Amino acid sequence: MGRVNEKLVAFLNNRWLVFVAAIWVQSCAGIGYLFGSISPVIKTNLSYNQKQIARLGVAKDLGDSVGILAGTLSEILPFWGTLLVGALNNFIGYGWVWLIVTGRAPVLPLWAMCVLVFVGTNGETYFNTVSLVSCVQNFPKSRGPVVGILKGFAGLSGAILTQIYAIMHFPDSANLIFMIAVGPALVAIGMMFFIRPVAGHRQVRPSDGVSFSSVYGVCLLLAAYLMGVMLVEDLVDLSPTVIAIFTAVMFVILLTPFLIPVILTFSSETTAYPEQEALLQQSPKQEPARSEPDGHEVIFSEVEDEKSEGEDLLPASERQKRIAQLQARLLQAAAEGAVRVKRRKGPRRGEDFTLGQALIKADFWLIFFSLLLGSGTGLTVIDNLGQMSQSLGYNNTHIFVSLISIWNFLGRVGGGYFSEIVVRDYAYPRPIAMATAQFLMIFGHIFIGMGWPGAMYIGTLITGLGYGAHWAIVPATASELFGLKKFGALYNFLTLSTPMGSLIFSGLIASSIYDSEAEKQAHNGLSQLQSSSSVWFSRLHVDAPLKCDGAICFFLTCMIMAGFCAIAGMLSLILVHRTKGVYYNLYGKSRASTLS
């Protein structure tokens, strides 16, 4: 009996169980991706116009990205408490919206509806924060794959929830709002005691590579399966039984990763690997010598700040020798009054930063503005994909919406995998993967802007992959450069760049250019109608909503976004140059010792 209890405790404290529970929470955390499905019923039932729906969309984007409170609470409350707050936000926000839309509660002013949508969508920031922080702490040496997989499932959650809703056959489509309010909240509450740090750095095994490969296989299988199911359900009129079978298979695929912690716990003995037990513990820093007659510690910051560019890339023995020589010279010079000895303030790259300490660092703002330009242009394409495809003459615009969600998912998973190869096999800074994604997005914007036949398929593929990659690479990079202690607050501050980018590129640039081109086309059409003396028809034409046709509608917007993606890539390359030494210390030393 004691043996069984021991195995059960080991199972409950297995870091792979935490990871799988986080995957399931993330699978329903992308609430904002379903706004396009619920906005028509809100518009119809509440008699809103398009401008009012657009304001609700802005509230949704803000709720999806403003996670400062979630990051702060994750440092105060236990993780289960933070998840519970997120579940309550989700349930109250969208539950109230459902009551209003279905006539069970009085209609509120538009500003109040925006608040409800904000609160409901903001619940997913709590799900994201807890899932990412706990799993990054449990897998400190596999941050890229972990973040990529978790963010990938969040991107795919819209398709997962839509497939679940397809088997319910509610007569009123407003009940999709009810499912959004209840489903994610129930999953989060069910998993809230499983998602937590479990000293995962002491559970490293040689089989971890196989486990990650298995999860990647599940990711690819699920993406391919959902893509096929969506296409079949769109083209063929299926019976409820067939749809139920499709959904059951999806659940089986989602449950498959659960076998990993089961097999690892019950199939063999847990093997300890002492050399890997201290991965999260603070390694002794090779700090400059400190010497003062009164015994107080003095840090010669010049040793760290004024050393040559290639100092960190030298072998450890040579580097320590040079630092010791520099310390001796500085100590002698300080004694003679030739130099001023100052105390170093704040942590170094790779140590634990608070949000306030990170905000005064150039590296942090390089990440922020690179993310603003890269993800902001990608989100602009996602938000305007319907109008983009319509302007190019495509009737089935929802096909591109479904496809870009799949590419977004694969970009997140692939971005984490690719960036991990960069740092693990080559000890090169992870931001090089972000720069690669941003330079690729240039071609995606160009393809969409040119409007060539079939270019929308290629453009959405490239843009979806590049946009998704940001959300695997940026969190891992932030945790490596600024530590894990305040990772929740740091990550949620960085996510503020996305709505800012969307406001600039979509709310200002894309909408202004589209309306301008639509007005030109309407004016030309009106001139032709007036020349035919059809006064009544011309008035009807003036009252009709403006619509733009042709590649010209988004050509200039896409070219501008391509240019800003190039700037984003350059910012990422600057970050690469600045952080070479940090990544060598994080990964190069272990790689060199492994090779030797």
Side-chain angles (χ1 to χ4, degrees):
M1 188 64 181
R3 185 66 174 168
V4 174
N5 290 336
E6 181 182 342
K7 286 289 186 179
L8 182 59
V9 171
F11 174 72
L12 294 176
N13 290 296
N14 191 293
R15 64 175 182 168
W16 284 97
L17 178 64
V18 177
F19 188 38
V20 172
I23 285 176
W24 290 341
V25 170
Q26 290 295 92
S27 296
C28 58
I31 305 165
Y33 292 105
L34 286 171
F35 183 77
S37 298
I38 65 175
S39 58
V41 69
I42 295 176
K43 182 178 182 179
T44 301
N45 290 17
L46 300 183
S47 300
Y48 281 171
N49 57 36
Q50 191 59 37
K51 183 178 291 186
Q52 291 170 314
I53 289 296
R55 291 175 183 174
L56 289 179
V58 172
K60 181 268 299 181
D61 289 337
L62 289 174
D64 188 22
S65 303
V66 179
I68 297 297
L69 182 59
T72 303
L73 288 180
S74 68
E75 299 172 3
I76 301 174
L77 299 176
F79 281 170
W80 65 264
T82 306
L83 275 177
L84 182 60
V85 172
L88 291 175
N89 276 18
N90 176 69
F91 178 74
I92 293 173
Y94 278 106
W96 203 335
V97 171
W98 173 74
L99 292 174
I100 293 172
V101 171
T102 57
R104 293 176 170 86
V107 178
L108 298 178
L110 179 62
W111 67 265
M113 291 294 295
C114 289
V115 171
L116 290 178
V117 171
F118 173 87
V119 171
T121 311
N122 195 243
E124 71 178 79
T125 64
Y126 294 84
F127 304 155
N128 288 330
T129 300
V130 172
S131 298
L132 289 175
V133 172
S134 60
C135 290
V136 166
Q137 291 180 0
N138 287 329
F139 294 86
K141 289 297 183 179
S142 303
R143 305 179 195 192
V146 166
V147 174
I149 291 169
L150 291 177
K151 297 297 292 183
F153 275 98
L156 203 61
S157 59
I160 294 173
L161 291 174
T162 300
Q163 185 61 33
I164 295 173
Y165 180 74
I167 67 172
M168 296 182 179
H169 307 293
F170 285 128
D172 186 359
S173 58
N175 285 296
L176 176 59
I177 305 175
F178 178 79
M179 194 194 74
I180 294 174
V182 174
L186 289 178
V187 174
I189 292 174
M191 296 292 109
M192 65 183 185
F193 293 112
F194 294 96
I195 303 178
R196 68 203 192 283
V198 289
H201 57 289
R202 294 190 176 95
Q203 300 181 27
V204 178
R205 289 186 172 192
S207 61
D208 285 343
V210 177
S211 300
F212 274 115
S213 298
S214 301
V215 177
Y216 274 122
V218 171
C219 292
L220 296 176
L221 176 61
L222 182 62
Y225 177 76
L226 284 176
M227 180 182 294
V229 168
M230 285 188 295
L231 291 175
V232 171
E233 291 179 349
D234 181 64
L235 298 175
V236 182
D237 187 13
L238 300 175
S239 66
T241 303
V242 175
I243 295 177
I245 293 174
F246 282 162
T247 307
V249 173
M250 181 192 72
F251 276 117
V252 170
I253 297 175
L254 279 172
L255 291 172
T256 301
F258 182 70
L259 296 175
I260 295 175
V262 173
I263 293 174
L264 290 177
T265 303
F266 295 101
S267 65
S268 60
E269 296 289 338
T270 302
T271 304
Y273 296 89
E275 71 275 13
Q276 294 171 327
E277 286 190 356
L279 291 178
L280 266 184
Q281 299 173 2
Q282 284 286 348
S283 58
K285 297 292 186 297
Q286 298 293 338
E287 294 183 344
R290 296 153 190 184
S291 176
E292 270 193 337
D294 58 2
H296 291 86
E297 290 185 339
V298 175
I299 301 176
F300 294 99
S301 62
E302 288 83 356
V303 173
E304 176 67 23
D305 296 334
E306 306 299 332
K307 62 187 179 182
S308 62
E309 289 288 335
E311 194 76 50
D312 285 328
L313 303 179
L314 294 173
S317 57
E318 180 65 21
R319 183 170 63 258
Q320 292 304 318
K321 180 180 179 182
R322 293 193 182 188
I323 290 177
Q325 293 173 351
L326 180 58
Q327 289 172 355
R329 292 199 300 270
L330 284 172
L331 184 61
Q332 182 178 0
E336 297 172 357
V339 299
R340 179 174 61 89
V341 178
K342 61 180 181 180
R343 293 183 181 274
R344 182 180 183 89
K345 296 182 179 180
R348 304 172 184 175
R349 294 188 188 106
E351 298 177 354
D352 289 324
F353 283 71
T354 64
L355 179 59
Q357 292 169 332
L359 288 176
I360 62 174
K361 295 298 181 181
D363 294 341
F364 188 81
W365 289 107
L366 284 172
I367 298 175
F368 184 89
F369 285 109
S370 178
L371 182 62
L372 186 151
L373 299 178
S375 67
T377 60
L379 186 59
T380 297
V381 172
I382 294 174
D383 288 344
N384 293 276
L385 198 56
Q387 288 180 310
M388 285 180 171
S389 55
Q390 285 180 350
S391 66
L392 295 177
Y394 293 97
N395 294 323
N396 296 326
T397 59
H398 60 280
I399 293 294
F400 295 106
V401 176
S402 300
L403 289 177
I404 203 168
S405 67
I406 301 295
W407 307 137
N408 179 16
F409 167 74
L410 293 176
R412 296 178 184 217
V413 175
Y417 182 77
F418 173 65
S419 67
E420 196 68 15
I421 292 176
V422 168
V423 299
R424 187 72 58 187
D425 294 350
Y426 301 97
Y428 213 67
R430 195 182 297 271
I432 192 66
M434 188 161 67
T436 303
Q438 289 161 344
F439 286 131
L440 283 175
M441 287 179 68
I442 296 174
F443 298 99
H445 293 314
I446 291 176
F447 271 103
I448 295 174
M450 296 304 294
W452 295 318
M456 276 294 295
Y457 293 94
I458 301 176
T460 53
L461 166 64
I462 299 175
T463 304
L465 290 174
Y467 171 78
H470 283 79
W471 297 109
I473 300 169
V474 168
T477 302
S479 70
E480 289 163 337
L481 296 182
F482 303 104
L484 295 171
K485 187 175 181 179
K486 303 294 182 180
F487 174 67
L490 294 168
Y491 166 73
N492 282 294
F493 185 90
L494 289 172
T495 60
L496 291 175
S497 62
T498 301
M500 292 176 60
S502 176
L503 177 63
I504 294 171
F505 294 112
S506 182
L508 299 178
I509 297 176
S511 61
S512 299
I513 295 176
Y514 181 90
D515 288 341
S516 175
E517 294 297 334
E519 289 176 0
K520 291 179 183 178
Q521 294 182 5
H523 178 73
N524 294 335
L526 180 60
S527 299
Q528 295 176 1
L529 290 172
Q530 287 177 341
S531 63
S532 63
S533 301
S534 179
V535 178
W536 176 82
F537 195 71
S538 66
R539 289 180 180 173
L540 181 63
H541 184 78
V542 171
D543 293 336
L546 294 176
K547 183 180 179 182
C548 182
D549 294 315
I552 192 64
C553 303
F554 289 95
F555 172 77
L556 183 57
T557 299
C558 288
M559 295 304 109
I560 293 173
M561 292 194 298
F564 277 109
C565 274
I567 296 175
M570 295 302 297
L571 293 177
S572 296
L573 289 179
I574 294 174
L575 185 63
V576 169
H577 177 72
R578 291 173 57 89
T579 57
K580 285 182 179 179
V582 181
Y583 277 91
Y584 176 80
N585 289 330
L586 284 173
Y587 298 99
K589 292 179 180 179
S590 60
R591 179 172 178 266
S593 62
T594 301
L595 293 176
S596 61

